[in-house]
Amino acid sequence: MSSVRSGGQDPIGGGDGDTAATLPCARLTARQAIAAVADTYTETTVPTGRTATAETPTPTPTPTPTPTTASPPDGPLGWHGYDDARARARARTGEDESVVTALATIGGREAVVLSFEFRYLGGSLGERTGDRLEAAYTLARERGLPVVSLIATGGSRMQEGMRALTQLQRVARQSALNRAAGLPQIAVLRDPTTGGGWATLGAAADVILALPGAQIGFAGSRVRPADADPFAYSAEGQLATGHIDAVVPPDRLRGTLQRWLRLLCPPEGTRTRAVEPAPPPSALGTPGLPETGWEAVVRARESGRPRAEAYLQAYFDDQVEISGDRCGGVDPGIRCGFGHRDGRTIAFAAQCGTATRPAGFRTAARLVRLADRLGIPVLTLVDTPGAANDSAAERAGAGAAIADAFAALATAEVPVTSLLIGEGGSGGALALAAPGRLWATPDSYFSVIAPELAAAILKRDEAQIHDTADQLRIRPQDLLELGLIQGIVPPP
């Protein structure tokens, strides 16, 4: 039997004496973690003997998974004392496995929620954990729902050996099936999230949030090198190196999940509609067109010119951002995320006027592919003097990163709208410009190369830079005449 609970009824105290109100990353029980983010929820797996509470109605039960194989005494390995350990864990937690799954409403959006009970054998994954996770992912596909994972695990269960480890393949397959079905997956990394739980449920999610101070890493605390930097295994360290999207304080987690679900989950009945392209934003800078090529360059380089921040604020009424390329890099010169405008969601990738680094191109490609999978139109704002060309950028794979961004835009099935809002420096700018759907503002330019560099390559003196800028035909009106842009956007 299942039970319905209100998100406001369960206490927010943590296990082992922790308290969410006093600790930055309290260890809540599995159900406390669900209650902390959900309006209401219906458990889909309930331990034997657990019934609906007296003060709440009993809903129609949801399917409870059947174990794939009968569990022999002391598990598949006959690990001496394993049954006793599970009995103690049941007595301590009231759970008969390390994960609780539920159908929940979060901000009015329905989702399948997976919540780990760390006090049950360290939240480890065994065969029965795999049964429950597979059933939950399947339920999400059957109902067309997102999956929200509230993870707190030390990894695979050693007492079940390789039978436990292979559950990671099982979880990875289910996650991939939901990804192919166009269903969002959001992970919340609690303390700790290590081992296979991080490498499957966590790192494979579309959006990865973490609680402050959470221990996160493939290697758990007892198996790391003695001289390992602890920051690398923290939520803050993972954010700094581009592996998670945000560190969210506990008191903001519910609201953050509500915003993400609102943006990533379309209203009922709209999923099958044709995706309409995002309209280009209005121009926010100087309205008149430049008379010369060099004037176009000067205006685009003015320090006071409106940049990505101003355009995003004017265009969206709400927005949340992803962060990092999932390969160890973050580029503060590019902003990617999802925004709400005129009742619908639009994804965005916006250059901020600096040289774009490899991590920035990879983050933009990640954003475009996610939006494409979810059926969300994309807006890109082009504004860069070019791709970063220092030795660090080359070591980070600048060429491959730019190629990946080109490929993401070229293969996107959702419409991509691009607006040139400042400098359009060579391939670093073109990589974020949608083929056939590029507009420009009056205070912008696009060039195969900066006029100064063109003059240097052609062995012209500095006095010829202005003439070179004219010859390159880089003004907005030149781009329109050459058929490279669709139009020049006017002010609001």
Side-chain angles (χ1 to χ4, degrees):
M1 184 178 293
S2 303
S3 64
V4 173
R5 296 167 184 257
S6 164
Q9 291 176 346
D10 288 56
I12 307 299
D16 304 323
D18 290 348
T19 303
T22 58
L23 294 182
C25 188
R27 284 183 177 168
L28 306 184
T29 69
R31 285 183 176 75
Q32 287 170 348
I34 299 174
V37 300
D39 309 325
T40 60
Y41 69 93
T42 304
E43 297 170 21
T44 60
T45 57
V46 182
T48 303
R50 185 183 293 273
T51 60
T53 56
E55 67 273 19
T56 57
T58 302
T60 302
T62 51
T64 299
T66 301
T68 54
T69 57
S71 179
D74 282 330
L77 305 185
W79 186 288
H80 181 67
Y82 181 36
D83 283 348
D84 291 339
R86 287 190 288 192
R88 290 192 298 271
R90 281 195 299 271
R92 181 169 59 251
T93 65
E95 307 294 352
D96 64 355
E97 245 319 315
S98 60
V99 68
V100 173
T101 62
L103 277 171
T105 55
I106 302 174
R109 296 293 200 280
E110 195 173 23
V112 171
V113 177
L114 321 173
S115 186
F116 279 76
E117 178 54 71
F118 187 77
R119 296 180 304 153
Y120 190 99
L121 302 181
S124 57
L125 281 76
E127 285 189 291
R128 292 191 302 186
T129 323
D131 291 339
R132 292 191 172 189
L133 294 174
E134 182 175 59
Y137 277 104
T138 301
L139 180 64
R141 289 196 301 276
E142 290 173 349
R143 303 200 179 191
L145 298 176
V147 172
V148 176
S149 302
L150 309 174
I151 309 170
T153 174
S156 299
R157 192 168 300 170
M158 290 179 293
Q159 296 93 330
E160 295 186 19
M162 283 299 299
R163 292 280 284 273
L165 191 66
T166 57
Q167 301 309 304
L168 304 183
Q169 295 172 321
R170 194 175 174 192
V171 171
R173 180 176 185 274
Q174 293 301 314
S175 176
L177 290 173
N178 285 45
R179 188 178 301 113
L183 301 173
Q185 299 175 60
I186 303 174
V188 176
L189 311 182
R190 297 153 59 205
D191 184 42
T193 298
T194 60
W198 163 230
T200 52
L201 290 154
D206 299 315
V207 177
I208 308 174
L209 311 175
L211 295 178
Q215 180 186 182
I216 302 166
F218 186 65
S221 59
R222 297 182 184 180
V223 297
R224 299 170 192 157
D227 60 350
D229 178 8
F231 183 71
Y233 303 89
S234 68
E236 292 73 14
Q238 296 286 0
L239 178 65
T241 48
H243 298 299
I244 68 174
D245 292 299
V247 175
V248 183
D251 61 350
R252 292 176 51 196
L253 182 58
R254 183 196 291 245
T256 300
L257 284 174
Q258 289 176 352
R259 294 175 71 194
W260 272 113
L261 289 172
R262 176 182 179 231
L263 287 166
L264 298 186
C265 301
E268 191 70 27
T270 62
R271 181 177 291 275
T272 58
R273 296 179 189 171
V275 180
E276 293 293 327
S282 300
L284 301 180
T286 305
L289 292 172
E291 294 184 3
T292 67
W294 186 248
E295 183 186 348
V297 172
V298 171
R299 289 170 59 174
R301 292 177 179 176
E302 286 181 355
S303 60
R305 172 180 57 78
R307 298 184 185 268
E309 171 68 21
Y311 277 91
L312 294 175
Q313 288 294 330
Y315 193 76
F316 293 115
D317 51 59
D318 185 32
Q319 59 185 0
V320 288
E321 297 187 19
I322 64 171
S323 177
D325 63 358
R326 299 294 184 264
C327 297
V330 175
D331 181 0
I334 194 163
R335 297 178 60 177
C336 298
F338 296 83
H340 197 258
R341 175 185 170 87
D342 295 336
R344 65 173 181 150
T345 298
I346 297 171
F348 63 86
Q351 292 170 316
C352 299
T354 58
T356 304
R357 307 204 65 78
F361 291 114
R362 284 191 287 261
T363 305
R366 174 187 157 216
L367 181 281
V368 171
R369 290 193 174 104
L370 175 56
D372 193 34
R373 181 158 47 80
L374 299 180
I376 296 172
V378 179
L379 169 70
T380 67
L381 300 180
V382 180
D383 185 10
T384 179
N389 58 6
D390 52 38
S391 57
E394 292 299 334
R395 285 193 295 268
I402 295 170
D404 194 37
F406 272 121
L409 262 68
T411 58
E413 295 185 5
V414 294
V416 181
T417 301
S418 297
L419 178 64
L420 177 66
I421 64 171
E423 288 196 85
S426 193
L430 192 66
L432 262 69
R437 291 196 60 83
L438 174 64
W439 278 260
T441 62
D443 53 349
S444 66
Y445 79 90
F446 216 139
S447 179
V448 63
I449 193 171
E452 304 95 317
L453 299 179
I457 292 172
L458 297 173
K459 298 182 179 181
R460 297 177 174 180
D461 59 44
E462 291 186 2
Q464 293 181 284
I465 291 177
H466 292 199
D467 290 337
T468 302
D470 286 333
Q471 288 178 299
L472 288 169
R473 302 201 61 191
I474 60 180
R475 301 174 302 168
Q477 58 267 45
D478 296 326
L479 302 175
L480 182 60
E481 184 178 334
L482 291 169
L484 300 174
I485 63 174
Q486 304 303 299
I488 301 170
V489 296

